[in-house]
Amino acid sequence: MRKKPLILGIETSCDETAASLVTENEQGIPIVLSNIISSQIDVHKEFGGVVPELAARSHIDKIDWIVQKAINESGKKIEEIDAIATTAGPGLIVCLSVGLNFGKALAKIINKPFIAVNHLEGHALSPKLDSRLDYPYLLLLISGGHSQYLSVKSFGKYKRLGTTIDDALGETFDKTAKLLGVEFPGGPQIEILAKRGNPKKYDLPKPIFNKGGCNLSFAGLKTAILKISKTIKSEQDKFDLAASFQNIVEEILNKKTKIAFDEFEKLNNPKNKIFVIAGGVAANIKIRSMLIQLCEENNYQSKFPPIEFCGDNAAMIAMVGLEKFKLKQFNNLDFPAKPRWSLDEDAVFLKGAGVKLQ
Ligand code: KG4
Ligand code: ZN
């Protein structure tokens, strides 16, 4: 039996220092041998958000032992690793550089190939970490820095169907949490507060709801939350605002996903209709159940990564590395950090004033 590839993945694009060893079974399903994540919540808590310089310093402090721990916990030896896959973008350049330099140096020392991975491709393929994933599929990527609908034709072939024209959904969850007095990172707390509130209490805007195809916009929603948060008098008002926000987000995603379904079908005419939802916000249980129901109504198979692989992790990076290893897609050691690396490099930039939507 041929030895299956063993890949070390490294992730330092934002505020998680992570390393993981991944291989695969005879059916080609990845096996995660170790998955070490060190979050920097304590470092950034007092600032209410990620401070790039502090994040980079923390990556520098931890990267050696996180990688060492990932190797130890996998039960493998460093000599058995076949390639090193590292996130090269998108993300904060000072943070990306830490993992990238470490990964390149280690690849050179152990004389194994180096593979640069797009962080978003890690999220895009993350459901593959525990199940089979066939192409083509429609992808909704909702994270702290990105909100996009993409048609994924095959490995590495992405066409963007829609994107946020301003803020990302995860960022909007975090901002809403901050305005409600929830400590950073507050996004995940919103759905907990929302359970105790009235979702119809506050009338919130749905920017570009009736135009712009499946593009998204959350800046106007953030501003409305800011205004209302100043009028909050009781704990119940807080629960009601969280519930109203959670509810409007579901309404927006419901409508925009239906449009994305149409665009995806026109483009691919797929035999099996598959919808993948990935990124940190995919951990939101109510968004999950709304999208699962929408899939049932529209004959789609819904696919989510396991909850522990929704947020940033290195297993998804090692897994993309594994796919690239099998295709011999290696990179030179001068591969740069790419803070704005997008999955569809042909897509037009759709942010800021002057953007025209129909
Ligand atoms: O994918 P991720 O870990 O990092 C990025 O690549 O951005 O996503 C982090 C984002 C944060 O904004 C966080 O608030 C959000 O995902 N998030 C959630 C939930 N869990 C994480 N948002 C809503 N509901 C959740 N349960
Ligand atoms: Zn991410």
Side-chain angles (χ1 to χ4, degrees):
M1 201 165 51
R2 265 190 63 217
K3 176 188 179 289
K4 289 288 181 185
L6 177 67
I7 311 295
L8 165 66
I10 298 175
E11 157 64 40
T12 63
S13 65
C14 189
D15 59 343
E16 257 96 26
T17 318
S20 166
L21 266 82
V22 168
T23 184
E24 66 178 7
N25 67 15
E26 287 304 315
Q27 289 72 47
I29 306 278
I31 304 171
V32 180
L33 298 174
S34 62
N35 181 36
I36 312 295
I37 306 175
S38 171
S39 154
Q40 305 175 356
I41 291 173
D42 290 340
V43 177
H44 305 291
K45 201 152 72 179
E46 64 176 296
F47 304 99
V50 177
V51 184
E53 170 70 20
L54 296 182
R57 281 193 205 193
S58 178
H59 288 311
I60 293 168
D61 287 345
K62 293 182 196 160
I63 186 87
D64 299 62
W65 69 264
I66 292 284
V67 169
Q68 187 64 62
K69 199 163 152 60
I71 297 172
N72 292 348
E73 286 199 7
S74 73
K76 301 284 180 187
K77 296 196 192 69
I78 195 165
E79 308 82 71
E80 294 176 81
I81 293 171
D82 293 300
I84 295 180
T86 308
T87 302
L92 300 164
I93 190 157
V94 283
C95 295
L96 290 166
S97 302
V98 179
L100 205 51
N101 289 339
F102 190 94
K104 288 174 179 175
L106 194 56
K108 180 83 182 163
I109 292 165
I110 66 171
N111 199 21
K112 293 287 164 63
F114 167 75
I115 300 168
V117 174
N118 184 316
H119 176 87
L120 303 178
E121 188 154 42
H123 282 301
L125 263 69
S126 54
K128 228 184 145 154
L129 281 165
D130 76 341
S131 66
R132 212 188 125 106
L133 181 59
D134 295 323
Y135 300 103
Y137 62 86
L138 173 67
L139 168 68
L140 170 60
L141 181 61
I142 32 180
S143 70
H146 299 269
S147 304
Q148 304 180 351
Y149 288 98
L150 293 136
S151 164
V152 188
K153 204 170 177 107
S154 58
F155 179 64
K157 297 252 177 314
Y158 299 91
K159 181 169 171 48
R160 195 189 72 199
L161 305 178
T163 184
T164 175
I165 58 164
D166 40 56
D167 301 321
L169 184 53
E171 185 188 344
T172 311
F173 264 92
D174 292 335
K175 178 76 181 175
T176 302
K178 197 170 170 183
L179 291 169
L180 293 180
V182 181
E183 235 177 32
F184 169 83
Q189 294 297 318
I190 291 289
E191 61 174 334
I192 298 169
L193 299 183
K195 279 191 193 143
R196 303 168 67 180
N198 170 7
K200 301 280 176 224
K201 166 87 173 277
Y202 295 103
D203 190 20
L204 296 171
K206 293 175 281 189
I208 67 165
F209 195 65
N210 292 316
K211 62 174 182 176
C214 61
N215 286 302
L216 298 156
S217 166
F218 298 107
L221 181 54
K222 246 168 67 174
T223 311
I225 303 265
L226 170 69
K227 275 199 198 135
I228 298 171
S229 68
K230 291 183 179 149
T231 68
I232 278 184
K233 294 198 180 60
S234 65
E235 280 293 284
Q236 191 55 51
D237 287 347
K238 210 160 129 174
F239 300 145
D240 292 343
L241 186 50
S244 303
F245 169 72
Q246 169 82 37
N247 184 56
I248 212 79
V249 167
E250 286 170 34
E251 220 179 290
I252 294 168
L253 290 182
N254 184 294
K255 163 107 185 234
K256 294 292 180 172
T257 300
K258 282 189 225 156
I259 299 171
F261 282 168
D262 282 348
E263 293 192 14
F264 172 71
E265 285 163 37
K266 265 186 221 140
L267 204 63
N268 297 285
N269 197 16
K271 249 201 326 249
N272 299 315
K273 299 193 277 185
I274 303 168
F275 183 37
V276 168
I277 304 99
V281 187
N284 187 292
I285 305 292
K286 281 205 71 218
I287 292 179
R288 276 186 179 228
S289 34
M290 180 277 291
L291 291 173
I292 288 170
Q293 196 188 332
L294 190 66
C295 281
E296 279 166 11
E297 288 161 10
N298 289 274
N299 218 3
Y300 269 76
Q301 187 191 345
S302 58
K303 275 198 164 277
F304 294 84
I307 294 268
E308 73 267 30
F309 297 123
C310 280
D312 288 348
N313 65 85
M316 66 184 192
I317 304 303
M319 187 255 299
V320 173
L322 180 70
E323 296 292 314
K324 291 191 161 196
F325 182 87
K326 291 191 280 185
L327 297 167
K328 295 197 168 41
Q329 292 181 2
F330 306 136
N331 299 100
N332 293 332
L333 294 182
D334 61 356
F335 194 95
K338 296 182 169 191
R340 303 184 77 113
W341 195 3
S342 65
L343 284 177
D344 176 1
E345 300 199 272
D346 296 331
V348 284
F349 190 66
L350 259 194
K351 266 191 183 162
V355 167
K356 295 254 184 311
L357 294 170
Q358 288 176 347

